[in-house]
Amino acid sequence: MERILVIGGARALGAEVARRAAKDGYEVVIGARDLAAAEALAAELDATAVRIDLQDETTIAAAAAGLAGGIDHLVTTGSAPHDVRAVALDHDKLIAAFTAKVMGPMLVAKHFAPVLRPNGSIVLFSGVVGWRPGPGSLVKGVTNGAVEYLARHLAADLAPVRVNAISPGVVDSGAWDRLGDGKAGLLSKSAAGTLVGRYGEPDDVVDTVMWLLRAGFVSGETIHLEGGARHKTA
Ligand SMILES: NC(=O)c1ccc[n+]([C@@H]2O[C@H](COP(=O)([O-])OP(=O)(O)OC[C@H]3O[C@@H](n4cnc5c(N)ncnc54)[C@H](OP(=O)(O)O)[C@@H]3O)[C@@H](O)[C@H]2O)c1
């Protein structure tokens, strides 16, 4: 049975990946900074849980030591949005945003490289904003763009372990529920900004993650899952 660690796995898209992986017969380890939430989902899925905070290297090192028996796949969904214009940038929030998406996954690679099996893989999370600049999306855009480069450089560094990234458009993952009444407007605006005329569903993302785990000839790539949003000109 192949073992998969999902960092950010207690919530939203990470939890959907964990659910599908368990259903598909993987041994699932749910990594999250909220250990109680990870343990609750793990109990439901007959999985295990480990505390991993991408902002804290000691938790990453400890998790890798605890999985010294080896893992086959690693998915990391972490993000720490800092959606402001340049004039409002906050140094610590900027560092946190880069750590969640870029530096944290690099430290995950550092500590997990010795325990990742050679035919294994890593899936990182980018996002369409990296390719669609706009006011207020400076940090999200640059961190998501950096993930594309991280996937290709990490793939070369960790080979033959495969490293790829997924770049979703707006997906109704649960993350947007915090907008309350504003969520419907965001989803319909996003749907209108695609070629396929709809926003993303969690299964769009989960299907692609599961494909990447098995796509043995794909490495260093970023898969764009945004209904053609980058190609819509008007
Ligand atoms: N949903 C979309 O429309 C969309 C669009 C484009 C890109 N994406 C990307 O897809 C990924 C998943 O998004 P999502 O929709 O599932 O919602 P999300 O709210 O962005 O999910 C982020 C996940 O990362 C975890 N996380 C944040 N900081 C962490 C840290 N320091 N250590 C460990 N885990 C941490 C969160 O757990 P906590 O519960 O601890 O906060 C949560 O599970 C993100 O990278 C996001 O940027 C999503």
Side-chain angles (χ1 to χ4, degrees):
M1 185 186 275
E2 291 192 354
R3 190 193 242 178
I4 181 170
L5 167 64
V6 186
I7 301 175
R11 197 164 67 74
L13 293 176
E16 295 299 327
V17 170
R19 282 182 201 285
R20 177 78 71 81
K23 186 164 167 265
D24 286 359
Y26 288 85
E27 179 190 339
V28 177
V29 182
I30 298 169
R33 54 187 173 175
D34 179 348
L35 184 60
E39 285 175 337
L41 183 59
E44 199 186 305
L45 301 182
D46 199 16
T48 54
V50 63
R51 182 162 183 276
I52 298 183
D53 182 345
L54 290 163
Q55 309 282 346
D56 178 354
E57 186 180 358
T58 61
T59 68
I60 299 170
L67 292 168
I71 64 170
D72 299 282
H73 304 286
L74 198 158
V75 177
T76 175
T77 66
S79 73
H82 182 35
D83 297 334
V84 296
R85 305 285 296 260
V87 291
L89 285 172
D90 174 280
H91 175 271
D92 291 350
K93 289 180 181 168
L94 188 55
I95 298 290
F98 273 88
T99 302
K101 283 249 170 182
V102 184
M103 291 186 284
M106 288 174 95
L107 294 171
V108 166
K110 167 186 169 182
H111 292 287
F112 278 89
V115 301
L116 267 167
R117 298 192 179 110
N119 60 349
S121 73
I122 296 178
V123 179
L124 308 169
F125 269 76
S126 176
V128 68
V129 172
W131 289 263
R132 303 207 82 176
S137 47
L138 175 64
V139 179
K140 196 173 270 173
V142 176
T143 54
N144 281 326
V147 172
E148 180 183 37
Y149 279 78
L150 180 57
R152 63 175 83 161
H153 287 275
L154 210 45
D157 192 293
L158 298 182
V161 170
R162 296 177 300 105
V163 184
N164 294 292
I166 286 182
S167 176
V170 170
V171 177
D172 188 12
S173 64
W176 301 113
D177 294 356
R178 65 185 152 80
L179 297 181
D181 292 344
K183 174 175 138 171
L186 172 85
L187 293 179
S188 62
K189 186 169 167 230
S190 303
T194 69
L195 296 177
V196 299
R198 69 171 177 90
Y199 55 84
E201 297 289 353
D203 273 353
D204 292 316
V205 175
V206 177
D207 288 347
T208 307
V209 172
M210 302 317 287
W211 170 72
L212 276 174
L213 303 185
R214 306 249 66 84
F217 210 45
V218 180
S219 193
E221 299 297 336
T222 294
I223 309 296
H224 295 275
L225 270 182
E226 28 86 304
R230 286 167 305 130
H231 310 302
K232 179 139 181 176
T233 49

